[in-house]
């Protein structure tokens, strides 16, 4: 399973909403909404990712929640 699908699976387990997508430069971008503790757990997970993932860096930006209702894998 790829990074985006693994991210979606983990986010759903944690009760989060949002999305994840590949960027044209090879990076992955995600938006996470939910309970602060669950969001922090997800950020920690993203720093390692799935077993097949090679994570070089994670940058976190805090924004106002959009009120998303599901967690989706988006296409670029």
């Amino acid at each position: 399973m790829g990074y985006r699908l693994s991210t979606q699976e983990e986010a759903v387990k944690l009760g989060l909403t949002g999305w994840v997508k590949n960027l044209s430069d090879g990076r992955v971008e995600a938006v996470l909404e939910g309970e602060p503790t669950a969001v922090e757990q997800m950020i920690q997970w993203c720093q390692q990712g799935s077993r097949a993932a090679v994570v070089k860096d994670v940058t976190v930006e805090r924004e106002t929640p959009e009120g998303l209702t599901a967690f989706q894998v988006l296409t670029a």
Side-chain angles (χ1 to χ4, degrees):
M1 184 181 313
Y3 190 85
R4 291 178 303 150
L5 290 176
S6 296
T7 300
Q8 180 186 39
E9 183 177 88
E10 190 67 22
V12 169
K13 275 199 278 187
L14 292 170
L16 298 175
T17 59
W19 51 261
V20 61
K21 70 177 180 178
N22 287 338
L23 300 177
S24 60
D25 62 5
R27 293 179 300 141
V28 176
E29 180 177 19
V31 168
L32 310 168
E33 293 187 1
E35 293 296 321
T37 302
V39 171
E40 290 304 320
Q41 286 178 307
M42 189 67 205
I43 291 169
Q44 289 177 8
W45 181 92
C46 287
Q47 292 172 350
Q48 294 181 5
S50 63
R51 290 184 180 149
V54 177
V55 179
K56 295 180 182 178
D57 185 39
V58 172
T59 302
V60 177
E61 296 179 18
R62 307 280 180 190
E63 297 180 358
T64 303
E66 299 174 31
L68 301 171
T69 59
F71 196 93
Q72 301 177 327
V73 175
L74 302 180
T75 56

